[in-house]
Amino acid sequence: EVQLVESGGGLVKPGGSLRLSCAASGFTFSNAWMSWVRQAPGKGLEWVGRIKSKTDGGTTDYAAPVKGRFTISRDDSKNTLYLQMNSLKTEDTAVYYCGYSSGWYVDYWGQGTLVTVSS
Amino acid sequence: SYELTQPPSVSVSPGQTARITCSGDALPKKYAYWYQQKSGQAPVLVIYEDSKRPSGIPERFSGSSSGTMATLTISGAQVEDEADYYCYSTDSSGNHRGVFGGGTKLTVL
């Protein structure tokens, strides 16, 4: 059974940084493409970015609103996905979901972790 | 930037057929995917690659795509199908950036 557990959310001031983690189990993490998707309170889903498996190049892609501020990385030895968020803005306030991707989309989702950016 | 457009809401009575549309210029060349999100829960994939249904998803859920429009059809909608539905696809850039539609609130009552 695929399990994804996000952690690291919390309250941070504008301009601050935060790192989210996503612990994965139930599948071969090193072969998986992984994604981050966020959802602002009361709003729709927004794709944040993805990282391919190392065998597929390990490259990352980002949505325009976060490119240059957010970095997705992975530690295959720990079956863990990360999202480093810098220069945070109030509009980054959202529930952040990690997702297991068998392709260009998300097959399975974690339960999410809330990030609140406020002074 | 690339956009997918969905109606904000659709309402049907139990047992009726609900259809939710998603329009996007790249859909003739890109697959559409559909997610169901019930209140307070994480999304669940209900249709992938336009019309394929993941295991465990009821047969009443089906998908189709023609031209610039993809459609999610729920045949004989049940009260438990009441949820927000999001279409998803990728843009035409070489990086295949993901894009979600704005979401459709399905009311079954």
Side-chain angles (χ1 to χ4, degrees):
Chain A
E1 178 191 5
V2 172
Q3 288 201 340
L4 300 166
V5 179
E6 301 93 338
S7 62
L11 176 64
V12 60
K13 288 182 168 53
S17 298
L18 205 60
R19 189 178 82 158
L20 306 183
S21 300
C22 171
S25 61
F27 62 98
T28 304
F29 182 78
S30 60
N31 291 344
W33 294 15
M34 298 295 294
S35 300
W36 288 98
V37 176
R38 67 185 181 183
Q39 186 169 34
K43 302 297 184 183
L45 300 173
E46 181 182 20
W47 185 81
V48 172
R50 80 165 70 84
I51 185 167
K52 295 180 179 178
S53 63
K54 285 190 169 54
T55 55
D56 287 322
T59 55
T60 52
D61 295 294
Y62 300 94
V66 308
K67 192 171 183 179
R69 300 188 299 123
F70 289 12
T71 301
I72 299 174
S73 62
R74 62 191 301 157
D75 186 335
D76 291 346
S77 68
K78 295 182 179 179
N79 287 357
T80 302
L81 174 73
Y82 301 101
L83 179 65
Q84 177 67 44
M85 303 184 293
N86 298 330
S87 303
L88 281 162
K89 306 175 182 180
T90 55
E91 53 263 42
D92 294 320
T93 294
V95 173
Y96 284 74
Y97 296 100
C98 74
Y100 159 70
S101 303
S102 61
W104 302 109
Y105 61 103
V106 175
D107 297 67
Y108 299 98
W109 302 65
Q111 287 304 306
T113 186
L114 176 63
V115 173
T116 303
V117 184
S118 174
S119 56
Chain B
S1 62
Y2 184 50
E3 293 183 355
L4 297 172
T5 302
Q6 299 180 233
S9 63
V10 168
S11 183
V12 298
S13 299
Q16 288 189 327
T17 295
R19 293 182 179 84
I20 300 172
T21 58
C22 172
S23 63
D25 290 342
L27 289 180
K29 298 182 179 180
K30 298 289 186 176
Y31 284 124
Y33 304 80
W34 292 94
Y35 295 93
Q36 175 194 67
Q37 186 180 34
K38 295 184 178 179
S39 181
Q41 298 183 19
V44 172
L45 179 69
V46 294
I47 294 290
Y48 66 102
E49 293 180 357
D50 290 345
S51 59
K52 299 177 182 177
R53 197 173 50 249
S55 61
I57 301 301
E59 291 184 7
R60 63 180 180 272
F61 288 86
S62 63
S64 62
S65 187
S66 178
T68 59
M69 183 167 291
T71 302
L72 173 69
T73 301
I74 307 172
S75 303
Q78 305 294 309
V79 172
E80 60 263 33
D81 299 330
E82 187 162 292
D84 293 323
Y85 290 85
Y86 295 90
C87 64
Y88 168 90
S89 188
T90 56
D91 66 13
S92 299
S93 72
N95 297 326
H96 303 271
R97 293 186 183 89
V99 179
F100 285 95
T104 299
K105 171 65 177 178
L106 174 65
T107 301
V108 183
L109 53 75

